[in-house]
Amino acid sequence: MTIRSRIAATFAVASLTLVFAGQSHATVFAAWQVANVPFGETLNVRKYPSGTSQKQAAYPNGTVLQIPGDAPAA
């Protein structure tokens, strides 16, 4: 895994942590797009924050990752 991939993965985890830490209830819809991953490589999502941890998923550039929450009350 290159340093750029590690930085991208760290940023993704930090972003998710901030989203969940600041929410008191699930009324959020958040989306991110995978970017700046070198050609031919993927952003790896792992079970634990370690390069040797089991890979859960891999996303190429342009993939939109979404975390849907409950729909706001009308």
Side-chain angles (χ1 to χ4, degrees):
M1 181 185 275
T2 65
I3 190 71
R4 184 172 278 185
S5 297
R6 288 178 190 228
I7 291 170
T10 301
F11 179 77
V13 170
S15 297
L16 288 172
T17 302
L18 289 173
V19 166
F20 289 119
Q23 297 301 316
S24 60
H25 49 81
T27 59
V28 153
F29 181 84
W32 297 269
Q33 185 171 16
V34 177
N36 299 322
V37 176
F39 180 77
E41 293 191 21
T42 57
L43 174 64
N44 295 326
V45 177
R46 297 190 177 270
K47 190 168 186 174
Y48 302 105
S50 168
T52 59
S53 179
Q54 179 183 11
K55 190 187 319 181
Q56 300 293 304
Y59 301 104
N61 274 331
T63 303
V64 176
L65 304 173
Q66 300 176 347
I67 300 177
D70 294 338

